[in-house]
Amino acid sequence: MEFYRTKDNENMADIAAQIFQRQLEQKLDSVLGLATGTTPIGLYDRLILLNKKGILDFSKVRTVNLDEYRGLTPEHEQSYRYFMNSHLFDHINIKKENTNVPDALKEAEVACREYDELIEKLGGVDLQLLGIGVNGHIGFDEPDTVFPKGTQCVKLAQATIDANARLFNDKSEVPEYAITMGIRTIMMAKQIVLLANQSKKEIVEQAFYGDITPQVPASVLQMHQNVTVILSGE
Ligand code: PGA
């Protein structure tokens, strides 16, 4: 594991952007696993800039996002499809048909099975971006008694609903369920980068220097061969 403590969020985004740049230089048609949330926005801004400058080419890139709120349409402003379009995909030369977010409107079992099949068909994820929840979740894989395997429909933990309520008009609007990639799929990514700002310092330390336990889902990453953690000082 490589562990960076950066002075601020800008510096965190710079280091993450360099990792993405290296990945695309090595493999133009990379499969990128992407994440939503406040933390990756600085990285996405940099990827847009590098694309506009002609340094990064996304024309052959395929993407799979970690998760989606159940029941939200792609046009809903809080859906993760909307987030990805507005923070990244609408501004780079990626083909929209090469971007994938779990289908939150389909019957859950079918949506989960199809998402796993899709990831397998793509040959797995080359570089997976992760954030971390205040409770140690990655994707929406919440603390549990076992590490979940494939894509699954989950009931969000109260801590997650509370943390994400800031983005909705009212807490009651936060969906209770989501579809999320499972831990096995995340662990199968060839490379993983986890970004966390200072507010996540304690849970990051617990996840990476504490016991490996499904009660802290991110702790499983201690067993991954190629993981970079970037903790910002801000
Ligand atoms: P955040 O979310 O980047 O908005 O803090 C991260 C997460 O919950 O995984």
Side-chain angles (χ1 to χ4, degrees), residues 72-209:
L72 296 195
T73 62
E75 296 76 31
H76 191 292
E77 285 189 18
Q78 299 310 331
S79 77
Y80 287 165
R81 163 53 78 180
Y82 187 94
F83 176 101
M84 289 310 301
N85 287 348
S86 56
H87 284 285
L88 186 64
F89 301 149
D90 285 347
H91 312 287
I92 58 175
N93 70 328
I94 198 162
K95 295 191 184 82
K96 277 278 169 63
E97 64 268 28
N98 286 344
T99 68
N100 301 283
V101 176
D103 190 334
L105 301 174
K106 250 189 198 160
E107 207 252 302
E109 212 177 294
V110 177
C112 294
R113 192 182 59 241
E114 286 183 357
Y115 209 59
D116 283 336
E117 286 167 0
L118 169 82
I119 295 168
E120 205 181 315
K121 204 170 112 207
L122 290 172
V125 174
D126 292 305
L127 173 58
Q128 177 67 56
L129 175 66
L130 296 174
I132 182 169
V134 282
N135 58 2
H137 76 201
I138 46 177
F140 272 137
D141 291 305
E142 303 284 20
D144 206 340
T145 48
V146 289
F147 287 115
K149 292 184 177 139
T151 301
Q152 54 163 359
C153 182
V154 290
K155 189 171 186 344
L156 300 182
Q158 193 56 45
T160 301
I161 292 177
D162 293 347
N164 291 4
R166 70 188 193 282
L167 303 166
F168 289 79
N169 294 326
D170 189 89
K171 195 187 281 191
S172 64
E173 289 178 18
V174 184
E176 279 182 55
Y177 291 88
I179 293 190
T180 181
M181 245 187 227
I183 294 286
R184 183 185 54 197
T185 315
I186 293 173
M187 287 297 281
M188 278 167 57
K190 296 177 188 82
Q191 186 180 0
I192 294 177
V193 179
L194 183 142
L195 306 184
N197 60 35
Q198 190 62 18
S199 69
K200 309 281 175 58
K201 183 174 178 279
E202 273 174 34
I203 192 69
V204 165
E205 279 167 4
Q206 209 181 320
F208 291 95
Y209 298 106

